[in-house]
């Protein structure tokens, strides 16, 4: 499985660092939604679902966390530890976010508005869907 990790340009000077993210330039889709999670309780695992069509870029803008990606055939664990790194997560990809450091903030740029119908929350249903798409 190929992992698409982006390294964004960070504009640094004596004042510090600044990262700017523009749709279709730094981010490969139109950004329709931004959300972020913080105050994550120790030991917690978030996600545990896939999306039918949503594409996203995950950026841990403070602290660190790990992302487990599962395409139904292979899994990869990707650490996010830098505020200038973004992980692309395609549709039809099971994801879990865990190992959040104290004070971690995980920001997500999303290609679509929030839509509960786009979620696949049952792992067996996810496996069936990806196997079916693989056959076609
Ligand atoms: C994903 C991973 C990386 C909203 O009202 N609007 C939103 O845009 C989102 C994302 C969530 N919510 C509500 C729905 C739930 O009541 O916020 C609550 C927590 O959402 P959820 O349990 O889906 O959060 P995570 O961390 O498990 O998953 C989220 C995204 O939902 C998901 O699309 O890929 O982050």
């Amino acid at each position: 499985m190929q992992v698409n990790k982006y390294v964004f340009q960070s504009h640094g000077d004596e004042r510090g660092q600044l990262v700017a993210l523009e749709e279709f330039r730094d981010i490969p889709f139109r950004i329709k939604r931004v959300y972020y999670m913080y105050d994550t309780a120790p030991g917690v695992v978030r996600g545990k679902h896939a999306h039918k069509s949503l594409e996203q870029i995950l950026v841990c803008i403070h602290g660190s966390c790990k992302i487990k990606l599962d395409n139904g055939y292979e899994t990869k664990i990707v650490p996010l530890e830098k505020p200038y790194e973004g992980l692309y997560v395609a549709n039809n990809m099971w994801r879990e976010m865990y190992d959040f450091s104290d004070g971690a903030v995980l920001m997500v740029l999303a290609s679509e508005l929030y839509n509960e119908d786009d979620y696949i929350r049952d792992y067996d249903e996810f496996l069936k869907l990806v196997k079916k798409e693989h056959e076609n």
Side-chain angles (χ1 to χ4, degrees):
M1 185 203 309
Q2 198 191 316
V3 168
N4 278 332
K5 211 172 189 188
Y6 288 66
V7 179
F8 303 122
Q9 187 181 1
S10 192
H11 303 271
D13 58 27
E14 62 284 354
R15 297 169 298 170
Q17 300 290 327
L18 185 152
V19 174
L21 302 176
E22 295 188 17
E23 57 191 13
F24 299 130
R25 198 174 282 180
D26 309 283
I27 304 299
F29 49 75
R30 169 136 291 149
I31 302 163
K32 287 203 184 160
R33 179 166 52 112
V34 177
Y35 62 91
Y36 47 91
M37 49 206 86
Y38 63 99
D39 270 359
T40 307
V44 100
V45 181
R46 300 195 66 119
K48 297 197 209 164
H49 57 251
H51 281 281
K52 292 172 197 164
S53 63
L54 187 70
E55 296 173 81
Q56 305 191 105
I57 296 267
L58 278 54
V59 186
C60 197
I61 54 174
H62 186 253
S64 63
C65 66
K66 290 196 178 78
I67 314 295
K68 183 176 165 192
L69 297 177
D70 175 350
N71 66 4
Y73 296 92
E74 280 179 78
T75 63
K76 280 263 163 75
I77 291 169
V78 185
L80 285 181
E81 296 167 335
K82 308 280 184 210
Y84 53 81
E85 283 179 351
L87 175 65
Y88 174 76
V89 181
N91 63 325
N92 290 341
M93 185 74 78
W94 193 265
R95 80 284 317 267
E96 296 180 8
M97 302 88 80
Y98 64 102
D99 238 2
F100 287 87
S101 67
D102 197 25
V105 181
L106 180 62
M107 179 182 77
V108 182
L109 309 178
S111 65
E112 299 297 336
L113 301 179
Y114 180 67
N115 175 13
E116 184 55 41
D117 292 343
D118 192 62
Y119 284 72
I120 308 165
R121 295 194 180 274
D122 181 87
Y123 189 69
D124 290 334
E125 188 193 327
F126 163 71
L127 286 181
K128 266 190 221 150
L129 185 91
V130 289
K131 306 267 143 110
K132 199 169 146 201
E133 298 223 336
H134 188 72
E135 284 161 17
N136 292 335

